Amino acid sequence: MVANNNSTLSLRSILEKDKLKENGTNFIDWFRNLRIVLKQEKKSYVLDEAVPEPPPADATNAVKNKHKKHMDDSNDIGCLMLATMCPELQKDLEHLEAYEMSVHLKQAFQQQARQDRYETTIALHDCKMAGCE
């Protein structure tokens, strides 16, 4: 059990090493690393699924336990996400659940990252073309 905990802590350290920057220039790498950590912890579903509404009082214990696990995992991962981003982003996102943070960050930074990658590709292509002349 201790070895598993150590590997989890070791894997989480990759997120702490390169925190998400306010301008999101490292979003793609940060998000990929976050997914790797969550895959290892078997909690990646919290980025893809919002926490469902609480089950009715007469729901089975299995349904109640599943909901509680999702809430607990979302809280854990939300805290991890906040801890691995710059203070400015923490202030803006601390009121959100992990899924909501994921959606917000993708909307804010994913398109920017695609545009940056596109512009870099064009610049590289232009350099290659200039070298051929």
Side-chain angles (χ1 to χ4, degrees), residues 6-28:
N6 286 339
S7 68
T8 299
L9 291 175
S10 173
L11 214 48
R12 283 185 175 207
S13 69
I14 66 173
L15 292 171
E16 294 168 8
K17 199 169 51 173
D18 192 21
K19 292 187 176 199
L20 180 60
K21 298 174 184 166
E22 183 178 12
N23 61 8
T25 54
N26 64 334
F27 172 73
I28 298 293

Side-chain angles (χ1 to χ4, degrees), residues 16-63:
E16 294 168 8
K17 199 169 51 173
D18 192 21
K19 292 187 176 199
L20 180 60
K21 298 174 184 166
E22 183 178 12
N23 61 8
T25 54
N26 64 334
F27 172 73
I28 298 293
D29 294 331
W30 176 85
F31 198 71
R32 182 174 52 264
N33 286 334
L34 177 65
R35 284 228 176 250
I36 291 167
V37 170
L38 298 184
K39 182 178 180 182
Q40 189 268 335
E41 294 181 10
K42 296 176 179 54
K43 295 181 180 181
S44 60
Y45 73 97
V46 299
L47 297 181
D48 302 322
E49 304 169 18
V51 176
E53 292 295 318
D58 62 346
T60 65
N61 282 340
V63 170

Side-chain angles (χ1 to χ4, degrees), residues 124-133:
L124 287 171
H125 179 55
D126 288 347
C127 274
K128 286 183 180 179
M129 294 298 285
C132 290
E133 294 176 352

